[in-house]
Every structure is written in C-alpha cells, then in structure tokens.
Amino acid sequence: QKEKIKSLRAQVDILSMTATPIPRTLSMAFSKIRDLSIIAPPPAKRLNVKTWVKEYDMETIKEAIHREIHRSGQVFYLHNDVSTIHQEVEKLASAMPDILFSSAHGQMRPMQLEQIMADFYHNRFQVLVCSTIIETGIDIPNANTIIINNAQNFGLADLHQMRGRVGRSNKKAFCYLMTPPFNKMK
C-alpha cells in the first residue's frame, strides 16, 4: 500500500505507524528530532505483564497493593479525574494506613510534579495515585503493579501504553483494569 501511494505522486512523504503510536515519538518525528522509530522485541529478561479485568473492589485493590509492597515494589494507581484525585488518595490511605501514598497530575506546578516523581523514583512512598500523566514515558523499574480505575473509559491503545509503565525490569508485573459492575456498563 505504501508503494502504491508513493507511485501516485513524485513528492510524497509517508509516515508509517504501528497500531499503538507513541505520542512522544510521533512528536519527535514531526519536529524532526527523530526520523524513524522502530519497536523492537522486548529486552531479554523482560516478563509479560499479567493483566486482569475486574469489577472495582477495595479488597482486590488492597491485596494487589500489599502484594507488591511485600516484594519491595511500588504501585501506580491511575485515577484519571483530577477533581477527585485527592479524595481517592484519602480513601485509599484510610483503607491502608500502613502504606504511604502521594498523587500526581498534569495540573500541578512543574517543580512540585518533578519533586513528587523524584520521590517516587527514590522509593520515598509506595503508591502513586496519578492521572494519565504517567503515559508519557515515565520509567520506574521498581513499580511493577498498576491499578487502572475506571478502565472502561480508555481505549485499548491507552490501556496498552499505561500498562507498559510496569514490568520495566526483570520482575513479574501486574495490571488490574478496574471497572464498574459488568452488568451496569453499556
């Protein structure tokens, strides 16, 4: 198909993308920082991310967080509603008072956001309750569990991209796609 398009005009620029284009890479291509992006096989010791689709349940969330903490890991808890993100942190913290939580989202001041991300990277707290801001290429090798709240509100490419934030080391990673009760989704 690319060759047929090329044959229609002498001067044709072609952009080829995979099913899940990475916005940062696409931006780099448009700004001429990078010409080509190739998605190669995963690194040799990288394991598949075990993924579940589950109805929202605090007991499942607590179990997933505690399991990751007990293996000295960290957790992304994606709650993509900035207006209620602080209430979500409070709800989680009251259910698990032994765990340290913090939050991050794109409406924060840049220096504050940078400090929170540095603190998470240096394992100063265990669970980052965040918006989709983590989708843009954050790499925390110690974070190997992600819980995505209201997963039904995302497309498959978004979910794939966010799930890719975990499992970036040689530890087994887990992804929980939490939804409202299945019989109430349309």
Side-chain angles (χ1 to χ4, degrees), residues 7-8 17 19 24 44 46 61 68 73 80 94 96 115 124 129 136 141 145 147-148 153 169 171 178 180:
S7 70
L8 295 175
M17 296 187 292
R24 179 183 43 163
R46 179 132 344 138
I61 292 168
E68 188 61 44
N80 201 36
S94 68
M96 295 168 270
Q115 184 61 54
R124 294 187 183 114
V129 181
T136 57
T145 294
I147 299 165
I148 301 175
N153 294 336
S169 67
K171 278 178 108 176
M178 306 303 283

Side-chain angles (χ1 to χ4, degrees), residues 56 77-80 88 147-152 154 176 178:
Y56 183 93
Y77 182 97
L78 198 142
H79 180 80
N80 201 36
E88 194 71 16
I147 299 165
I148 301 175
N149 192 16
N150 289 314
Q152 77 284 355
F154 298 100
Y176 295 82
M178 306 303 283

Side-chain angles (χ1 to χ4, degrees), residues 52 58-69 75 145-147 174 176:
W52 293 273
M58 184 56 79
E59 290 307 311
T60 300
I61 292 168
K62 286 167 59 174
E63 180 184 324
I65 290 173
H66 279 106
R67 183 182 314 117
E68 188 61 44
I69 302 302
V75 178
T145 294
I146 186 168
I147 299 165
F174 303 96
Y176 295 82

